[in-house]
């Protein structure tokens, strides 16, 4: 059996960053985001019309003229039409999707700049960030596998996230679990200054077969999704400067390193070495 990371030097398929803002922005406020396009078009040249969804009135017998809060999106695409980067803004969320991940030191500053632009354009002193979310999606391709697979080639079988009988398992399966931890006590000592809060960690691991054009057999994929939602005890004002002491930046950095730790406990030593997990910064 051969195990190949989805990219040559790492296994990261996508990273998702999100801010939750309260109170929610109005439709008129979200419309102001079109003013950002001249500044952002070199990075994110696709700016489709806002997505709107009709909502029924209180008696549910007809649709109102009013449409639900729009979703404003800026994006860049690969030649095959799939996303590279996407910045999406809804009523109380700002989401950045990166599907061309290289290293945190390159991706985070760009993401931070998008957050800054949106918050500066839409927010006033009444707005605060109540939670941040960071999700990593890693993927590995499996070749030449038999019906019974020795999963110790990919996973550390003594990881508490895996069932005790996990070693020889069928090809296709799914694991899903989640738990709450307190911050910053859940982090390593070098992130003890992260803001106080509660984190919902969710880990999904799926072994499945996906369709591939031109192939009758498809492609065997193992996908690992690690989502962390960091609910802040004290909401953070959006007017704070984004410097090294900004609580939001500190929260994302702590979640990034927590992801590396969680993935490190899950993967085998050989795979960690191949994707240079502990070299990533």
């Amino acid at each position: 059996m051969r195990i190949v990371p989805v990219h040559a030097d790492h296994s990261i398929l996508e990273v998702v960053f999100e801010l939750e803002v309260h109170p929610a922005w109005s439709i008129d406020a979200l419309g102001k985001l079109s003013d950002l396009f001249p500044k952002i078009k070199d990075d994110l040249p696709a700016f489709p019309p806002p997505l709107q969804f009709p909502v029924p009135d209180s008696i549910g017998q007809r649709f109102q003229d009013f449409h639900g809060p729009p979703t404003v999106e800026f994006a860049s695409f690969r030649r095959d039409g799939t996303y590279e980067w996407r910045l999406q803004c809804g009523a109380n969320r700002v989401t950045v999707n990166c599907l061309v991940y290289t290293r945190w030191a390159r991706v985070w500053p760009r993401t931070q700049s998008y957050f800054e632009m949106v918050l500066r354009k839409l927010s006033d002193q009444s707005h605060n960030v109540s939670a941040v979310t960071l999700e990593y999606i890693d993927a590995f391709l499996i070749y030449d596998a038999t019906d019974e697979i020795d999963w110790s080639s990919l996973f550390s079988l003594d990881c508490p996230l895996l069932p005790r009988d996990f070693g020889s398992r069928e090809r296709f399966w799914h694991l899903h679990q989640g738990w709450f931890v307190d911050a910053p006590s859940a982090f390593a000592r070098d992130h003890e200054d992260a803001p106080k809060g509660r984190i919902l960690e969710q880990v999904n691991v799926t072994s499945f077969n996906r369709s591939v054009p031109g192939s009758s057999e498809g492609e065997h994929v193992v996908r690992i999704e690690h989502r962390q939602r960091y609910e802040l005890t004290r909401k953070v004002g959006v007017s704070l400067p984004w410097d090294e002491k900004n609580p939001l930046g500190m929260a994302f950095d702590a979640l990034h390193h927590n992801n590396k730790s969680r993935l490190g406990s899950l993967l085998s030593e050989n795979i960690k070495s191949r994707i240079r997990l502990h070299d990533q910064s």
Side-chain angles (χ1 to χ4, degrees), residues 154-224:
L154 177 57
F155 296 107
S156 173
L157 299 186
D158 59 356
C159 175
L161 298 177
L162 299 175
R164 291 181 180 179
D165 62 348
F166 189 77
S168 294
R169 181 168 281 243
E170 296 180 356
R171 296 181 65 183
F172 306 122
W173 43 266
H174 173 71
L175 299 175
H176 181 195
Q177 54 196 305
W179 60 93
F180 285 99
V181 294
D182 291 327
S185 57
F187 300 137
R189 183 173 298 177
D190 54 351
H191 288 91
E192 60 188 10
D193 292 333
K196 290 183 179 181
R198 185 177 69 162
I199 299 169
L200 171 60
E201 280 197 64
Q202 295 170 291
V203 177
N204 297 323
V205 188
T206 308
S207 175
F208 66 102
N209 205 69
R210 69 179 178 187
S211 300
V212 177
S215 171
S216 59
E217 297 182 357
E219 192 169 51
H220 186 178
V221 181
V222 173
R223 179 182 171 110
I224 303 171

Side-chain angles (χ1 to χ4, degrees), residues 5-7 10-17 78 86 96-101 133-140 202-206 208 210 221-228 259-260 263 266-267 275 280:
V6 71
H7 296 295
H10 67 83
S11 58
I12 299 170
L13 193 65
E14 180 180 0
V15 185
V16 184
F17 306 80
R78 299 184 179 96
R86 180 176 72 166
V96 176
N97 302 73
C98 172
L99 292 92
V100 285
Y101 188 90
T133 296
L134 180 65
E135 180 176 8
Y136 274 88
I137 302 173
D138 290 76
F140 298 87
Q202 295 170 291
V203 177
N204 297 323
V205 188
T206 308
F208 66 102
R210 69 179 178 187
V221 181
V222 173
R223 179 182 171 110
I224 303 171
E225 303 169 11
H226 181 212
R227 183 178 187 271
Q228 302 174 86
N259 168 262
K260 291 177 63 175
L263 197 63
L266 190 61
L267 298 176
I275 65 173
Q280 296 177 22

Side-chain angles (χ1 to χ4, degrees), residues 12-219:
I12 299 170
L13 193 65
E14 180 180 0
V15 185
V16 184
F17 306 80
E18 188 170 85
L19 302 178
E20 295 179 33
V21 179
H22 293 277
W25 292 305
S26 67
I27 295 176
D28 290 340
L30 287 172
K32 297 177 182 178
L33 288 176
S34 60
D35 297 343
L36 295 180
F37 188 57
K39 302 176 183 178
I40 209 172
K41 65 180 180 180
D42 290 341
D43 282 353
L44 304 174
F47 178 43
L51 301 175
Q52 293 183 312
F53 304 94
V55 294
D57 65 9
S58 57
I59 59 175
Q61 294 180 345
R62 62 181 175 82
F63 284 100
Q64 299 170 322
D65 292 334
F66 170 77
H67 287 256
T71 299
V72 180
E73 178 178 302
F74 304 88
S76 62
F77 293 90
R78 299 184 179 96
R79 288 191 174 187
D80 64 2
T82 57
Y83 284 109
E84 291 180 333
W85 283 84
R86 180 176 72 166
L87 168 61
Q88 190 177 66
C89 306
N92 70 330
R93 281 178 167 78
V94 187
T95 307
V96 176
N97 302 73
C98 172
L99 292 92
V100 285
Y101 188 90
T102 52
R103 289 291 181 266
W104 178 265
R106 298 177 184 176
V107 168
W108 169 244
R110 181 169 173 176
T111 300
Q112 177 181 305
S113 71
Y114 295 155
F115 283 153
E116 283 188 89
M117 279 191 282
V118 171
L119 295 179
R120 191 180 301 122
K121 186 67 180 177
L122 296 185
S123 303
D124 55 35
Q125 296 296 326
S126 69
H127 289 98
N128 297 281
V129 176
S130 60
V132 304
T133 296
L134 180 65
E135 180 176 8
Y136 274 88
I137 302 173
D138 290 76
F140 298 87
L141 307 180
I142 311 296
Y143 296 104
D144 307 322
T146 59
D147 289 339
E148 290 288 330
I149 295 179
D150 178 9
W151 286 106
S152 64
S153 300
L154 177 57
F155 296 107
S156 173
L157 299 186
D158 59 356
C159 175
L161 298 177
L162 299 175
R164 291 181 180 179
D165 62 348
F166 189 77
S168 294
R169 181 168 281 243
E170 296 180 356
R171 296 181 65 183
F172 306 122
W173 43 266
H174 173 71
L175 299 175
H176 181 195
Q177 54 196 305
W179 60 93
F180 285 99
V181 294
D182 291 327
S185 57
F187 300 137
R189 183 173 298 177
D190 54 351
H191 288 91
E192 60 188 10
D193 292 333
K196 290 183 179 181
R198 185 177 69 162
I199 299 169
L200 171 60
E201 280 197 64
Q202 295 170 291
V203 177
N204 297 323
V205 188
T206 308
S207 175
F208 66 102
N209 205 69
R210 69 179 178 187
S211 300
V212 177
S215 171
S216 59
E217 297 182 357
E219 192 169 51

